[in-house]
Every structure is written in structure tokens, then in C-alpha cells.
């Protein structure tokens, strides 16, 4: 199985790690700005908004990593796209529900939350692009070389 | 109330229509990205890793539109 792991795995892992680090930076900056603009609700909204954006953007990479565990099997392609697209659908539904739940909360400052979601989304896009641009991927490393034929004596007759 | 007014009358939240519209574009975009990746992997399975990375970038950009579109619920309408 391990020889069949697609070459995209390290790139996805790096995107997740760097996305998480950038999220921390955006959270700190957003919390400070939110605190100045709107007090404690601003801080809470900036933290929640950035976390939402980065977690939801990261689910794509995580679902690809999960789906790549099926590499090499007969059902790889259906399983891969089922997991990636299913994760996508699920996260958008959860996001819509969260938006309406959060909007009703008294400790939420909507404008700060919206802006921090946008900042988180754009930040994670930047991280993705930089990680992919700096990644080195061999052209055809997923190829499976044919195993050498066994000795004629071993072959079943 | 004449016929025109009745036909033009909308009750409830028009913003929900906007969230639906915000989902259509990215849905088509992600559909195209994924479909083309399936085509590519079917033609050249050994390139699956590279194609997955490109697909990931494509999905990330299109889904960003959906996220921002749906997150506008925080600042506009209900």
C-alpha cells in the first residue's frame, strides 16, 4: 500500500500545517483589532471567525489525505471523490447552520466575524498557493513498476 | 391590491435566495474541477498525485466564493 501513496500527501500535510500557523497569526491580529473596535464581543468574534474559515478550508486537504489511504485499491477513484465531495457538501451544510446559530448569539459582533472569516479564507488561499508553488513533485512517481518475473521453477504450471 | 402588486409581493427573507445563488457558481466550478480531474486520472493514473494538488487549489479558490457568499449572512439580512 505504501508504495502506492500518491505524491500529493506531503503537499497536503504542509498546507494543513502552514494553514494552522497562519490561522494563529490572523487570530491574534484579528482579536487585537476586534478588541479595539468592539470590545470583548469583537475578540470572541475574531477568534470564532478565523477558526471557522481555517478549519473549513482545511477540511478539503484533510479529506484528500483521508481519501488517499484508499490508494491502490480497486475502489480508489470512487472512494476518493466520494470522500472529498462528501466532505465538501457536509462542511457547507454545517457552515450554513453555524452561521445562523452564531448570528443569534449575543456575544457576536457580526461585522468583525464576517471580516475575520474573509481574512481567514484569503489567508488560507495564499498559504495553499505558496505551498503548492514551492512543492516539488516528481512527474510520474505514482507509477507502479512491473515486478520482475519469478524464476521459471516457481511459476505454477 | 391589483394583480401586479400581488405578483410582486414577497414575504419572508429574500436573503436566502442570495445564499442559494452564492452556492450555484461554486457548485458548478467545483463540479468542473473534479470532473476534469477524474478525466485526467482516468487517462493517466500515474499522475494522480499531481492532479490532486491542482484539483485542491481549484477547489480552494471556488469554495472560497461559497464561504464568503454564505458568510455575508453576518452583515446583510437574515
Amino acid at each position: 500500500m505504501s508504495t502506492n501513496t500518491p505524491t500529493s500527501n506531503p503537499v497536503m500535510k504542509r498546507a494543513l500545517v502552514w494553514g494552522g500557523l497562519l490561522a494563529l497569526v490572523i487570530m491574534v491580529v484579528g482579536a487585537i483589532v476586534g478588541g479595539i473596535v468592539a470590545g470583548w464581543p469583537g475578540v470572541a468574534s475574531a477568534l470564532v471567525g478565523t477558526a471557522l474559515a481555517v478549519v473549513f478550508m482545511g477540511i478539503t486537504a484533510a479529506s484528500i489525505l483521508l481519501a488517499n489511504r484508499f490508494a491502490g485499491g480497486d475502489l480508489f477513484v470512487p472512494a476518493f471523490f466520494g470522500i472529498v465531495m462528501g466532505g465538501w457538501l457536509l462542511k457547507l451544510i454545517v457552515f450554513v447552520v453555524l452561521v445562523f446559530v452564531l448570528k443569534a448569539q449575543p456575544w457576536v459582533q457580526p461585522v468583525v466575524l464576517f471580516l475575520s472569516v474573509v481574512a481567514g479564507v484569503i489567508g488560507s488561499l495564499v498559504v495553499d498557493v505558496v505551498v503548492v508553488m514551492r512543492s516539488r513533485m516528481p512527474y510520474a512517481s505514482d507509477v507502479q513498476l512491473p515486478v520482475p518475473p519469478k524464476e521459471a521453477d516457481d511459476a505454477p504450471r | 391590491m391589483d394583480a401586479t402588486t400581488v405578483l410582486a409581493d414577497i414575504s419572508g427573507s429574500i436573503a436566502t435566495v442570495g445564499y442559494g445563488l452564492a452556492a450555484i457558481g461554486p457548485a458548478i466550478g467545483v463540479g468542473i474541477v473534479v470532473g476534469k480531474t477524474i478525466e485526467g486520472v482516468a487517462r493517466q493514473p500515474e499522475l494522480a498525485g499531481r492532479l490532486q494538488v491542482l484539483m485542491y487549489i481549484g477547489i480552494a479558490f471556488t469554495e472560497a466564493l461559497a464561504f464568503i457568499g454564505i458568510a455575508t449572512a453576518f452583515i446583510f439580512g437574515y
Side-chain angles (χ1 to χ4, degrees):
Chain A
M1 269 310 211
S2 62
T3 55
N4 261 336
T5 307
T7 48
S8 60
N9 268 12
V11 181
M12 296 300 158
K13 279 179 190 156
R14 223 174 299 141
L16 278 180
V17 170
W18 283 104
L21 291 178
L22 183 89
L24 289 179
V25 175
I26 294 179
M27 269 183 181
V28 171
V29 174
I32 293 172
V33 174
I36 293 171
V37 175
W40 287 112
V43 175
S45 304
L47 295 181
V48 171
T50 316
L52 271 184
V54 174
V55 166
F56 279 76
M57 296 292 282
I59 286 179
T60 309
S63 66
I64 291 177
L65 279 177
L66 175 70
N68 273 345
R69 288 171 183 244
F70 293 87
D74 288 339
L75 281 176
F76 176 49
V77 171
F80 180 84
F81 290 104
I83 290 173
V84 173
M85 291 292 97
W88 198 73
L89 179 66
L90 200 65
K91 91 182 154 182
L92 275 186
I93 292 173
V94 172
F95 185 61
V96 170
V97 172
L98 276 179
V99 163
F100 282 92
V101 169
L102 281 175
K103 199 174 159 66
Q105 301 300 316
W107 47 269
V108 159
Q109 218 291 327
V111 177
V112 174
L113 212 159
F114 174 71
L115 290 180
S116 54
V117 166
V118 172
V121 167
I122 292 176
S124 82
L125 283 183
V126 170
V127 165
D128 291 347
V129 169
V130 170
V131 165
V132 169
M133 275 174 62
R134 298 179 67 150
S135 67
R136 292 180 179 176
M137 296 187 57
Y139 248 108
S141 60
D142 294 344
V143 72
Q144 212 173 9
L145 295 175
V147 290
K150 286 191 168 183
E151 298 294 327
D153 295 343
D154 293 346
R157 288 161 203 266
Chain B
M1 202 181 277
D2 57 32
T4 326
T5 318
V6 172
L7 286 176
D9 185 34
I10 295 177
S11 61
S13 172
I14 189 69
T16 50
V17 180
Y19 309 144
L21 287 175
I24 289 179
I28 295 173
V30 169
I32 291 176
V33 170
V34 171
K36 293 289 177 183
T37 308
I38 294 176
E39 275 181 23
V41 173
R43 282 167 187 261
Q44 285 173 290
E46 72 274 12
L47 282 186
R50 289 179 70 84
L51 294 174
Q52 276 176 19
V53 170
L54 296 176
M55 181 193 80
Y56 170 62
I57 286 291
I59 289 181
F61 272 89
T62 37
E63 82 179 346
L65 290 176
F67 271 123
I68 295 175
I70 293 171
T72 49
F74 285 117
I75 52 173
F76 304 128
Y78 199 65

